[in-house]
Amino acid sequence: MSRNHVQSARRPAPAPAAGVLDPGAEAPGGAEPVYLELLARGASAEAYEQPVLLARAENRPPERIAALERAKLLALRVRTELEGRRRREAELSALFETAHDLAGLRDVDAVLQAIVQRARSLLGTDVAYLSLNDPARGDTYMRVTEGSVAARFQQLRLGMGEGLGGLVAQTARPYVTDDYFKDDRFQHTLTIDAGVRDEGLVAILGVPLMLGPHVIGVLFAADRRARVFEREQIALLGSFAALAAAAIDTANLLTETRSAMAGLERANEIIKDRSSVIERASDIHDRLAELVLRGGQVHDVAAAVSQVLGGTVEFTDTADTADTGALETSRTEGHAVRHGDDWIAAVAAGGELLGALVLRGRPGLDPVDQRTLERAAMVTSLLLLARRSAAEAEQRVRGELLDDLLDARDREPRQLRDRAARLHADLDATHVVLAARLEGPAADTEEAAAARRRLWSAASHLAGTRHGLAAAREGGTVLLLPLAAGDTATDLARRTARHLGTAVHQPVTVGASAPVTGLATRPDTVAAAYAEGRRCLDALNLLGRGGDGAAAEDFGFLGLLLAGERDIAAFVTRTIGPVAAYDTRRGTELLRTLDAYYACGMSPARTKDELHVHVNTVAQRLDRVARLLGDDWQSPARALEIQLALRLHRLGAPPERR
């Protein structure tokens, strides 16, 4: 070794730079404390690479570097999940704050400005703006902008039907363009294009502001670079647009109310007649705002409106609504619709119909109370969207845990148990892994994708109610469900197939593994069980039993081929166990007789020569076998299984007993 090398080997390793965590420092938790500290202080994603790079620069042992790599990936995943939750919390908080602004509406411009600011912040866009229609001039003008730097853009007036906003106003549907100047779906004009070019906008999303069936304006979010807006972002901007329309509607109502009160000052009698109605509207307005702020449920909204309107209000799903025509009319027009002696108000969000509020016992509903019912429907849609977001978050967490059990082989058991416990699942219990797949052809790719999403949603709901896990995989769904005492994998597979088929209105085939245990301590258990369930699923389809459920134990000797771990002893016991037990108890030779009977081509005459007994003895022994195995023991399928079981039994017996 050269002198320089010796000096280099003796030179102490450089100390970590300021602010960089030392990955070589030993700690009770290994590499985890390094990344826990990064998570605790909210470090950037780039900071998570530094401990690994520093460890490599210091020539740390490979196992130490591998541990840091695993800890880094897990910490980044936790960081992503935390950021997602903070984002969803911020979205809901912004919606609730906006609803609170509406409850205390004094200045409509201030509320609209707040809506545009929050939309831009939550969607992370460069610019957000709101345009309103001007019926007097027959065009559209910019009402509020946020993030705009071009004066010409801020003062744009657009003719009806021009630009992306014109397309949104014409169709009353959201539209998005990844590249404004390359999009030919809408009418380009020199004025609009010049304003957009001055602002430097590329990707634009627009959603309509609706008052009833009429579009009164458009809410936009735009970026100065190419960008794809996600469906959740479109729905969020649609919610803000609904609140903006409500703000304008409320401002209009306040204007109308002031005008009416000026007239009512000249007619004190009318003031008295209408005072109770206005008081009820104000009361329900405050109650609904309070419900939104404290996270009330749908039944709380129904109870509050029932008390104010003096009738009975119920929330129903679309499938339970008595008159779908009235419901569709309410959704299209944006107003409550009378149906017989009842009133129906559609509960919708972003064009999606979520259900309806049905008011019973108030056939003579005045316009103010009608508007109260409509606002209650809007609040109900906000609560349903919030509940859906929470449910989808839980479904994703369940799917991620099951994905880890299926794919990862080096997870820490305690950590897996803790994650499962937070989802009310017990990884130490006996479980069954089920592979589920839809049957029947789909009309097109989009319909097939929608059907798979319905299957995953139904499976996630089933897993949540059964304290299990579910995840989408390989075009189908995989479930991990606990096995109750006295239940079998076959029974669970068949019930699951029926339940999922009913939920998605389409046949669902389910293949189940044998019961498994030790899911947290043996990381390959779930993957092997899933492979076994897939083999059972394929076998059901090959046998023409699509839409059914089964486990390996249902396929006789074929189950030996389907099972991940060949349980030969269980197959032999299940097939010829009663005969073997009879021989053991009575000292008879039924198994030997049965073996000779098949070896002699199922001929009693040749069998008696082989055994050197009388033919009547052979007949008596075979009668006893029939009583033990059942009358169909000589059918081709049973005979094949019995011969295979005899061969396996003979191979597994000690030499002196063969």
Side-chain angles (χ1 to χ4, degrees), residues 7-322:
Q7 291 175 350
S8 175
R10 292 176 179 176
R11 186 179 300 123
V20 177
L21 298 176
D22 183 7
E26 296 298 332
E32 290 81 353
V34 177
Y35 289 100
L36 286 176
E37 184 175 344
L38 290 174
L39 287 170
R41 74 182 189 212
S44 65
E46 292 77 7
Y48 289 74
E49 293 290 345
Q50 294 183 5
V52 178
L53 296 176
L54 186 58
R56 287 175 177 163
E58 295 176 354
N59 293 322
R60 297 291 182 180
E63 57 272 15
R64 178 61 181 171
I65 295 176
L68 283 169
E69 286 283 1
R70 291 192 297 271
K72 178 194 73 174
L73 294 176
L74 180 59
L76 286 173
R77 184 177 300 171
V78 172
R79 181 179 179 272
T80 301
E81 178 65 22
L82 290 174
E83 288 180 347
R85 294 194 178 193
R86 283 193 292 267
R87 184 176 62 256
R88 288 190 291 273
E89 181 180 357
E91 293 172 355
L92 292 176
S93 176
L95 289 174
F96 291 159
E97 288 174 2
T98 305
H100 180 63
D101 292 344
L102 294 179
L105 180 64
R106 293 296 179 270
D107 184 356
V108 67
D109 288 330
V111 175
L112 294 179
Q113 186 69 47
I115 289 174
V116 172
Q117 288 174 347
R118 290 165 185 163
R120 178 195 177 203
S121 174
L122 290 177
L123 270 66
T125 57
D126 298 323
V127 183
Y129 51 101
L130 184 148
S131 67
L132 292 180
N133 296 346
D134 187 347
R137 296 182 54 172
D139 62 358
T140 300
Y141 65 99
M142 290 287 188
R143 176 68 179 268
V144 181
T145 63
E146 179 68 18
S148 173
V149 295
R152 178 159 53 175
F153 180 80
Q154 298 169 12
Q155 298 169 6
L156 272 179
R157 296 192 74 95
L158 297 73
M160 290 296 186
E162 297 177 351
L164 178 65
L167 183 61
V168 174
Q170 283 181 339
T171 61
R173 294 174 57 189
Y175 272 89
V176 61
T177 177
D178 300 336
D179 193 330
Y180 175 87
F181 291 100
K182 294 181 180 179
D183 200 330
D184 58 359
R185 291 177 300 169
F186 47 86
Q187 178 183 352
H188 287 266
T189 68
L190 293 176
T191 302
I192 300 175
D193 288 356
V196 173
R197 188 174 287 107
D198 285 355
E199 195 62 47
L201 301 182
V202 177
I204 303 177
L205 164 64
V207 296
L209 276 66
M210 305 289 298
L211 276 184
H214 305 295
V215 178
I216 63 169
V218 180
L219 178 62
F220 298 87
D223 255 336
R224 296 187 175 93
R225 63 188 185 281
R227 168 179 178 170
V228 176
F229 287 94
E230 303 294 337
R231 182 176 301 176
E232 292 80 6
Q233 295 173 324
I234 297 175
L236 177 62
L237 193 63
S239 299
F240 277 118
L243 291 173
I248 296 170
D249 187 27
T250 302
N252 293 337
L253 284 176
L254 289 174
T255 301
E256 294 171 3
T257 302
R258 294 189 186 102
S259 176
M261 290 181 66
L264 290 176
E265 288 177 356
R266 296 185 299 270
N268 191 44
E269 191 99 15
I270 301 176
I271 290 178
K272 292 181 180 179
D273 292 340
R274 301 299 295 173
S275 61
S276 60
V277 176
I278 296 174
E279 184 178 349
R280 281 205 311 275
S282 177
D283 182 27
I284 192 60
H285 191 87
D286 293 341
R287 292 192 187 191
L288 293 180
E290 182 184 358
L291 283 174
V292 172
L293 292 174
R294 64 179 176 86
Q297 301 299 317
V298 173
H299 65 271
D300 296 326
V301 175
V305 179
S306 298
Q307 185 176 358
V308 171
L309 297 184
T312 302
V313 177
E314 299 175 354
F315 172 78
T316 63
D317 293 329
T318 55
D320 299 330
T321 304

Side-chain angles (χ1 to χ4, degrees), residues 554-586:
D554 299 315
F555 295 93
F557 73 91
L558 290 177
L560 293 177
L561 305 176
L562 299 174
E565 297 180 0
R566 311 288 193 256
D567 194 352
I568 296 176
F571 170 74
V572 172
T573 300
R574 189 166 59 249
T575 306
I576 60 173
V579 178
Y582 189 88
D583 279 350
T584 301
R585 291 195 310 270
R586 302 294 183 89

Side-chain angles (χ1 to χ4, degrees), residues 344-365:
I344 296 177
V347 177
E352 179 184 0
L353 187 60
L354 305 175
L357 287 182
V358 181
L359 173 62
R360 310 184 193 279
R362 281 291 309 276
L365 199 64

Side-chain angles (χ1 to χ4, degrees), residues 468-590:
L469 305 174
R473 181 159 291 227
E474 299 178 2
T477 301
V478 55
L479 297 96
L480 180 68
L481 298 180
L483 188 66
D487 206 355
T488 66
T490 298
D491 295 336
L492 184 57
R494 289 174 178 168
R495 286 199 306 271
T496 302
R498 289 194 300 269
H499 179 92
L500 296 180
T502 301
V504 302
H505 305 291
Q506 188 174 339
V508 177
T509 306
V510 176
S513 72
V516 292
T517 57
L519 306 183
T521 56
R522 294 188 298 165
D524 59 341
T525 300
V526 178
Y530 173 59
E532 180 179 333
R534 284 295 307 273
R535 288 194 292 271
C536 288
L537 179 64
D538 294 338
L540 284 171
N541 287 322
L542 290 174
L543 295 172
R545 291 175 56 188
D548 197 2
E553 63 188 25
D554 299 315
F555 295 93
F557 73 91
L558 290 177
L560 293 177
L561 305 176
L562 299 174
E565 297 180 0
R566 311 288 193 256
D567 194 352
I568 296 176
F571 170 74
V572 172
T573 300
R574 189 166 59 249
T575 306
I576 60 173
V579 178
Y582 189 88
D583 279 350
T584 301
R585 291 195 310 270
R586 302 294 183 89
T588 55
E589 296 186 341
L590 296 184

